[in-house]
Amino acid sequence: MATDDRIPPLSECVELIKRELVRLVAQDGVRLADLSAETSLASDLPLDSLKLVDLTLSLESVFELAEFDMQGWIDAPETMEQGFTITALAVACRATLIEQCRRIGGGEE
């Protein structure tokens, strides 16, 4: 596990994603209190393809990611098994951040 101080704990990642989701779907009546770590992006939230693009860009900004492959996450077998939950997305964002920090630390970027 990376020790870089830019890598927040999973619980903080979940909260950051919940806030971004509320920002994106607030006009649809979704509030922070409506979301849990197990909320499904696929069945519980009014996310269309444009909002998914906005979410991707937002996550890249919030987590300071060079790139987050949302489509890759959606298509991944692990995601299919775990479900499209906020927690699963947080795990993927955190893993991407850890890998990015590893590459930077290893001089690969």
Side-chain angles (χ1 to χ4, degrees):
M1 178 183 240
T3 58
D4 192 297
D5 63 353
R6 293 183 300 156
I7 301 171
L10 183 59
S11 60
E12 186 177 330
C13 294
V14 167
E15 291 306 313
L16 289 168
I17 291 171
K18 285 169 55 177
R19 281 189 225 120
E20 289 305 308
L21 286 166
V22 166
R23 185 183 63 74
L24 289 172
V25 295
Q27 72 273 12
D28 297 305
V30 176
R31 299 168 303 143
L32 192 58
D34 298 330
L35 303 178
S36 74
E38 298 311 311
T39 297
S40 170
L41 278 67
S43 60
D44 297 332
L45 294 172
L47 292 176
D48 58 22
S49 59
L50 291 177
K51 286 181 183 172
L52 277 176
V53 170
D54 287 343
L55 177 60
T56 302
L57 296 173
S58 177
L59 295 175
E60 289 172 349
S61 176
V62 166
F63 290 105
E64 298 180 10
L65 299 171
E67 179 180 8
F68 181 71
D69 183 7
M70 180 69 79
Q71 190 61 53
W73 175 72
I74 290 170
D75 294 339
E78 306 83 50
T79 305
M80 301 285 187
E81 291 173 15
Q82 297 170 0
F84 298 98
T85 65
I86 292 173
T87 295
L89 182 57
V91 167
C93 287
R94 192 168 184 278
T96 301
L97 182 57
I98 289 169
E99 179 59 23
Q100 177 177 294
C101 290
R102 187 198 63 77
R103 283 194 317 266
I104 292 170
E108 295 178 34
E109 281 191 5

